[in-house]
């Protein structure tokens, strides 16, 4: 069984399976560099056809797509 | 009139007015009395507008006397996070900068609640500019958790959750840019709904990050929450991001059967790493939904850190852009660490911001297909720990650095994806503090989320749990 989204082929980079408690205790604040590193797998997927204006129509399409 | 009235649910209070067993003025006076008395301990309000509320209540009773019922909230006292414009009334955004700000017009959501007959008691406490999950506010001090007054109520809609849990009002609006409705609702034991992006107008609401901001209701039961949601949802020409989808009739579907509903749940391995009370709340949810005939389906947990980082690429620059001029010209009026947090977006590269917005639709579609292709909704943690003690949070502030802990770990990503989510109270933990889980759905699935929340609270007797006796 896939444990995280990364295990099934989607981009990742985060800390998977890490406990909330541990993260809380780590008291970390993501620096700009760390933030970029974590987001990069998604940001790097930017394709020529992607546009910011697509979001609301995309939500409407997802709402009407067939249920499982 | 007894303050027992304050312990009614919102729907019961509306019914009592409708059946003339009480009046809007009686309800309003009872809530005002309780609100004033609780200020020392809970500090839920920034502004109590007794005069305005009582005038509105008298008008509501006059209308009722001639049979002119305004709507499903006729005569019901509410109050809202102090960031929704009300013409002529002080609306502070929780900041010293706007301590005397009086807008000229009223926010769409407040106009819709007015039209439904609600009474507005005033502006509720909130984090300074809604940008911390701890409820910290230097203008009036932080709201306290009604269940334990030495603990935070969460944030940024701190006063909204506290006022509802303490039975000062029957419901409240908050805003959620990264968890600001869901987190305080979880810490205070209330139901909090983050609607789908575009479902509820944000016209006249304070902007923090316009690409992520949402307005949502907080109440003591799922049915109460459904009634508030139905009153505020729907397209608004004044908000260009609102979506042209008619508001659903959510209340009639609350008792729908859940057989054939599939609930996505994280693996046992993931849950084993959670704080014990958080894991127990998840288990209570899974077990309850299985009893209803729903089928739990194991799904991959979201990449919280990656998606939260993506959300930050959008949120931080937008916050900085909105505050840019004030950050330099009126710096001393911000709390230093809030000033630095709002400024941090100046360092995010424009290319990251643009890319994060451009890939949003595709990432959302892929993840919805991944998760909700298998399930109708996801059951996940909402908070990382029970309400922390206020002094611990204050101790963590180090000069210009905010408190260290990441209360919003499980909430921020949903705002980026634009998905609806609901906080469902799951009872008290071993410390007698509220615990909760959240359910995340596909776009515009609020009726299902409210249906699930309602069925859970009916089965586990968690509906209208409140801290009324602790005030």
């Amino acid at each position: 069984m896939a444990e995280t989204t990364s295990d099934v082929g989607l981009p990742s980079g985060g800390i998977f399976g890490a406990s909330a408690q541990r993260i809380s205790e780590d008291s970390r604040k993501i620096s700009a560099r760390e933030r970029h590193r974590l987001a990069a797998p998604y940001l790097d997927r930017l394709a020529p056809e992607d546009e910011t204006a697509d979001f609301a129509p995309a939500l409407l399409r997802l709402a009407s797509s067939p249920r499982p | 009139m007894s303050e027992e009235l304050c312990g009614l649910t919102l729907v019961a209070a509306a019914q009592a007015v409708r059946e003339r067993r009480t009046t809007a003025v009686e309800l309003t006076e009872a809530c005002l009395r309780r609100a004033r008395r609780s200020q020392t301990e809970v500090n839920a309000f920034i502004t109590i507008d007794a005069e305005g509320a009582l005038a509105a209540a008298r008008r509501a009773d006059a209308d009722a006397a001639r049979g002119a019922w305004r709507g499903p909230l006729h005569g019901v006292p509410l109050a809202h996070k102090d960031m929704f414009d009300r013409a002529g009334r002080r609306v502070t955004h929780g900041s010293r900068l706007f301590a005397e700000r009086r807008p000229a017009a009223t926010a769409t959501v407040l106009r819709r609640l007015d039209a439904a007959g609600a009474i507005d008691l005033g502006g509720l406490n909130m984090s300074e500019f809604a940008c911390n999950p701890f409820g910290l506010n230097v203008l009036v001090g932080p709201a306290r958790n009604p269940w334990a007054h030495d603990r935070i109520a969460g944030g940024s809609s701190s006063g909204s959750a506290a006022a509802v849990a303490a039975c000062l009002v029957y419901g409240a609006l908050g805003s959620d840019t990264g968890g600001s409705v869901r987190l305080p609702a979880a810490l205070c034991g209330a139901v909090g709904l983050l609607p789908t992006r575009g479902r509820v107008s944000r016209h006249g609401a304070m902007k923090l990050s316009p690409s992520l901001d949402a307005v949502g209701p907080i109440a003591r039961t799922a049915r109460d929450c459904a009634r508030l949601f139905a009153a505020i949802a729907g397209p608004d020409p004044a908000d260009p991001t609102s979506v042209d989808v008619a508001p659903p009739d959510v209340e009639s579907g609350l008792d729908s059967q859940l057989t054939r509903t599939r609930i996505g749940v994280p693996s046992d391995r993931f849950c084993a790493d959670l704080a014990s009370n958080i894991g127990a709340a998840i288990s209570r949810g899974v077990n309850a939904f299985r009893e209803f005939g729903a089928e739990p389906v194991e799904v991959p947990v979201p990449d919280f850190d990656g998606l939260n980082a993506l959300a930050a690429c959008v949120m931080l620059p937008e916050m900085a852009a909105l505050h840019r001029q004030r950050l330099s010209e009126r710096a001393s009026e911000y709390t230093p660490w809030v000033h630095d947090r709002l400024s941090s977006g100046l360092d995010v590269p424009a290319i990251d911001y643009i890319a994060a917005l451009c890939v949003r639709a595709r990432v959302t579609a892929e993840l919805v297909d991944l998760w909700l292709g298998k399930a109708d909704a996801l059951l996940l943690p909402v908070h990382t720990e029970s309400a922390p003690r206020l002094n611990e949070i204050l101790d963590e502030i180090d000069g210009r650095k905010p408190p260290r802990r990441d209360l919003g770990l499980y909430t921020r990503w949903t705002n980026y994806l634009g998905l609806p989510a609901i906080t469902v109270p799951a009872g008290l933990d071993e410390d007698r503090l509220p615990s909760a889980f959240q359910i995340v759905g596909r776009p515009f699935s609020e009726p299902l989320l409210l249906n699930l929340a309602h069925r859970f609270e009916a089965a586990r007797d968690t509906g209208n749990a409140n801290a009324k006796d602790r005030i």
Side-chain angles (χ1 to χ4, degrees):
Chain A
M1 178 66 208
E3 179 68 12
T4 76
T5 52
S6 67
D7 299 332
V8 290
L10 282 168
S12 67
I15 301 166
F16 302 111
S19 74
Q21 190 66 32
R22 191 162 71 247
I23 288 169
S24 175
E25 287 170 0
D26 286 347
S27 300
R28 62 193 173 81
K29 281 295 166 187
I30 300 172
S31 66
R33 183 182 300 173
E34 177 69 352
R35 182 173 57 247
H36 182 84
R37 186 186 73 76
L38 291 169
Y42 299 97
L43 298 174
D44 292 347
R45 291 159 58 82
L46 180 64
E49 64 270 22
D50 288 335
E51 291 186 18
T52 58
D54 277 348
F55 194 52
L59 291 177
L60 288 167
R61 281 194 299 273
L62 289 169
S64 57
S65 63
R67 301 236 166 194
Chain B
M1 187 69 185
S2 164
E3 284 189 18
E4 289 305 307
L5 283 173
C6 299
L8 296 174
T9 67
L10 179 152
V11 169
Q15 188 70 14
V17 173
R18 182 80 189 197
E19 294 173 355
R20 304 186 191 281
R21 287 182 279 115
T22 187
T23 65
V25 167
E26 274 186 329
L27 291 179
T28 301
E29 287 178 339
C31 288
L32 284 171
R33 202 161 41 240
R34 192 168 169 79
R36 289 194 188 99
R37 200 179 73 240
S38 70
Q39 273 297 92
T40 309
E41 293 173 315
V42 180
N43 198 28
F45 280 83
I46 290 178
T47 302
I48 298 177
D49 181 14
E51 187 180 337
L54 285 168
R58 284 191 285 270
R59 286 194 297 273
D61 286 340
D63 286 347
R66 57 186 176 85
W69 299 99
R70 289 187 207 165
L73 297 170
H74 193 113
V76 176
L78 308 174
H80 312 291
K81 189 174 185 176
D82 200 30
M83 53 163 278
F84 298 103
D85 284 354
R86 167 74 72 187
R89 192 167 78 192
R90 184 176 83 135
V91 179
T92 68
H93 298 184
S95 164
R96 288 182 291 210
L97 280 91
F98 291 150
E100 295 304 327
R101 175 177 175 274
R102 291 180 188 273
T106 298
T108 295
V109 285
L110 296 195
R111 285 195 288 106
R112 288 181 176 174
L113 292 174
D114 293 344
I119 310 298
D120 185 352
L121 263 55
L124 292 170
N125 208 336
M126 60 181 284
S127 304
E128 184 174 344
F129 285 122
C131 72
N132 73 73
F134 312 105
L136 299 178
N137 176 304
V138 293
L139 181 66
V140 295
R144 308 295 187 107
N145 196 304
W147 294 91
H149 302 158
D150 62 336
R151 294 178 184 264
I152 65 168
S156 64
S157 308
S158 50
S160 301
V164 167
C167 299
L168 313 182
V169 291
Y170 297 96
L173 296 186
S175 70
D176 193 316
T177 304
S180 285
V181 160
R182 289 164 290 155
L183 279 172
L187 299 188
C188 292
V191 181
L193 177 67
L194 165 69
T196 306
R197 177 166 179 76
R199 185 69 117 154
V200 175
S201 170
R202 300 162 313 152
H203 172 69
M206 186 201 81
K207 293 176 182 173
L208 180 61
S209 173
S211 297
L212 307 177
D213 293 340
V215 175
I218 297 176
R220 292 195 290 274
T221 72
R223 187 177 293 279
D224 292 354
C225 208
R227 186 164 295 191
L228 289 171
F229 170 65
I232 61 173
D236 176 18
D239 180 353
T241 65
S242 75
V243 178
D244 189 13
V245 175
D249 177 14
V250 279
E251 273 194 75
S252 65
L254 288 177
D255 290 308
S256 298
Q257 295 300 309
L258 295 175
T259 47
R260 301 184 61 190
T261 301
R262 282 183 276 186
I263 309 292
V265 297
S267 68
D268 290 343
R269 201 174 105 203
F270 172 81
C271 292
D273 280 339
L274 298 170
S276 61
N277 58 331
I278 309 293
I282 298 279
S283 295
R284 281 199 287 278
V286 173
N287 292 336
F289 293 131
R290 187 182 282 120
E291 287 171 24
F292 303 147
E295 179 188 354
V297 180
E298 194 171 304
V299 295
V301 295
D303 166 19
F304 295 115
D305 281 348
L307 291 170
N308 287 343
L310 202 50
C313 289
V314 174
M315 180 169 64
L316 297 178
E318 291 190 349
M319 293 192 316
L322 287 167
H323 283 266
R324 185 171 188 169
Q325 190 171 357
R326 288 190 294 267
L327 286 169
S328 59
E329 294 177 356
R330 302 178 66 179
S332 65
E333 294 171 75
Y334 290 89
T335 299
W337 64 265
V338 172
H339 180 278
D340 281 14
R341 175 157 168 70
L342 289 169
S343 303
S344 63
L346 299 172
D347 301 325
V348 176
I351 192 170
D352 282 1
Y353 174 69
I354 293 167
L357 286 176
C358 285
V359 298
R360 193 180 188 190
R362 195 147 49 83
V363 169
T364 301
E366 290 174 358
L367 292 176
V368 165
D369 186 52
L370 170 67
W371 295 322
L372 301 170
K374 294 179 179 176
D376 298 289
L378 305 179
L379 197 160
L380 292 167
V382 56
H383 52 342
T384 53
E385 57 182 310
S386 300
R389 287 191 168 80
L390 176 61
N391 61 1
E392 292 173 3
I393 295 297
L394 295 175
D395 287 347
E396 286 181 15
I397 297 173
D398 178 14
R400 301 188 76 92
K401 294 181 182 174
R404 295 185 297 271
R405 64 189 80 196
D406 187 5
L407 291 184
L409 174 68
Y410 299 131
T411 54
R412 291 192 296 276
W413 59 283
T414 46
N415 298 74
Y416 176 78
L417 300 179
L419 302 178
I422 191 167
T423 288
V424 183
L428 301 181
D429 64 18
E430 58 270 25
D431 294 325
R432 307 294 296 163
L433 294 170
S435 64
F437 54 84
Q438 69 174 330
I439 309 173
V440 180
R442 66 171 54 217
F444 304 99
S445 67
E446 292 91 347
L448 174 64
L449 303 188
L450 288 158
N451 176 204
L452 289 164
H454 174 72
R455 294 300 301 269
F456 177 83
E457 73 185 22
R460 292 295 184 268
D461 199 22
T462 55
N464 200 25
N466 59 69
K468 180 172 178 289
D469 296 335
R470 302 196 183 194
I471 305 298

